[in-house]
């Protein structure tokens, strides 16, 4: 039985940005937790097949970066929720929507990692969510936010949106207050460099139990996946 695939979604798309650094940090925390039944898998690989894996609880975490999807602002004439449930992809008129639909269909669950933009989520994330409906519906979802106060308002908005998409949003939603970590001035390379997390932020998150919350979130997703996908 192939391990279930959990996408850790990098949601902001500007250059440069902090989101890839935060996403990789979360990936590392989840992979280092011995209680989460991971089938260890490189972050960049797309091959989820493992014919020798017989543990039905096994999961693999993969990073899914919205900036690689090249989605324009929503440009389909259809309303995704009104399409046939079984396979909506052929009903989309645009190749980028069909590609995005096929990508999302491959995953069993999602952790959306997002900054707070003006008390909400970035338009890039809302846009990517709006493109589809049945591909999200019934799947477990987790939320991790960051911002000067942890991005609580973004988390509230995102929870409402994901609930509207009929996703099964787990309760734990860690928020990372970013006080010291920042984008170096003049960092404008197209070849995006990874920003270093400031040790003071890391220490603050550990002391506030944020890493423990991430591990709880991971286990909540594993438990939801154990129950199966409800459509
Ligand atoms: C358009 C915009 C709006 C923002 N609004 C907020 C906000 O409401 N609250 C907050 O704490 N930080 C806010 N910030 C600061 C971001 O949390 C910070 O810039 C973070 O690095 C953004 O993530 P990114 O680099 O991955 O885009 C905002 C940043 C941008 C670019």
């Amino acid at each position: 039985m192939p391990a279930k695939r959990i996408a850790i979604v990098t949601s902001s798309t500007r250059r440069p940005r902090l989101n890839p650094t935060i996403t990789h940090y979360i990936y590392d925390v989840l992979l280092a937790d011995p209680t989460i039944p991971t089938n260890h898998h490189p972050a960049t690989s797309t091959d989820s097949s493992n014919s020798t894996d017989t543990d039905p609880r096994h999961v693999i975490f993969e990073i899914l970066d919205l900036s690689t999807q090249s989605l324009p602002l929503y440009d389909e004439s259809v309303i995704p929720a009104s399409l046939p449930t079984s396979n909506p992809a052929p009903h989309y008129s645009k190749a980028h929507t069909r590609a995005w639909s096929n990508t999302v269909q491959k995953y069993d669950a999602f952790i959306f990692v997002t900054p707070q933009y003006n008390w909400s989520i970035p338009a890039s994330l809302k846009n990517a969510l709006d493109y589809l409906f049945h591909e999200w519906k019934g799947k477990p979802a987790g939320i991790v936010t960051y911002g000067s106060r942890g991005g609580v308002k973004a988390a509230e908005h995102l929870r409402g949106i994901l609930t509207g998409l009929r996703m099964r949003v787990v309760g734990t939603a860690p928020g990372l207050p970013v006080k010291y970590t920042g984008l170096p001035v003049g960092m404008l390379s197209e070849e995006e460099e990874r920003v270093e997390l400031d040790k003071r932020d890391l220490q603050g998150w550990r002391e506030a139990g944020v890493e423990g919350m991430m591990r709880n979130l991971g286990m909540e997703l594993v438990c939801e996946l154990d129950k199966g996908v409800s459509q």
Side-chain angles (χ1 to χ4, degrees), residues 12 14 17-19 115-119 146-149 183:
S12 72
R14 69 182 178 137
R17 60 199 168 136
L18 201 50
N19 213 149
Q116 179 164 306
Y117 278 10
N118 295 314
W119 293 24
Y146 60 95
S148 56
R149 292 188 178 80
L183 303 173

Side-chain angles (χ1 to χ4, degrees), residues 53-215:
D53 189 354
T54 52
D55 188 335
R57 297 186 81 220
H58 267 167
V59 295
I60 55 173
F61 293 104
E62 296 175 31
I63 290 172
L64 175 59
D65 187 342
L66 292 186
S67 78
T68 65
Q69 300 302 315
S70 306
L71 288 169
L73 277 179
Y74 189 76
D75 60 356
E76 288 284 345
S77 58
V78 294
I79 300 172
S82 68
L83 295 177
T85 313
S86 53
N87 186 15
H91 299 272
Y92 299 122
S93 64
K94 305 289 194 309
H96 54 250
T97 318
R98 291 192 290 274
W100 180 227
S101 170
N102 289 330
T103 297
V104 171
Q105 284 186 55
K106 284 182 202 148
Y107 291 101
D108 301 289
F110 300 84
I111 298 173
F112 295 97
V113 181
T114 182
Q116 179 164 306
Y117 278 10
N118 295 314
W119 293 24
S120 187
I121 58 171
S124 48
L125 175 56
K126 181 64 162 63
N127 190 48
L129 291 167
D130 286 344
Y131 259 99
L132 311 173
F133 183 81
H134 298 295
E135 295 87 339
W136 303 117
K137 188 180 172 192
K139 292 181 181 172
I143 297 170
V144 183
T145 55
Y146 60 95
S148 56
R149 292 188 178 80
V152 180
K153 291 179 189 297
E156 284 169 9
H157 277 195
L158 184 55
R159 183 175 292 279
I161 294 161
L162 300 181
T163 304
L165 288 166
R166 311 292 191 271
M167 298 191 85
R168 289 147 55 198
V169 191
V170 300
T172 306
L176 306 175
V178 177
K179 293 184 182 147
Y180 303 103
T181 308
L183 303 173
V185 176
M187 181 184 166
L188 293 169
S189 156
E190 279 296 306
E191 286 294 317
E192 192 170 40
E193 294 164 52
R194 190 82 53 78
V195 181
E196 286 290 312
L197 288 175
D198 191 290
K199 287 196 176 71
R200 292 166 291 181
D201 279 334
L202 268 175
Q203 193 181 340
W205 301 342
R206 285 185 186 129
E207 284 170 7
V210 174
E211 289 190 355
M213 287 178 76
M214 280 178 204
R215 292 190 279 270

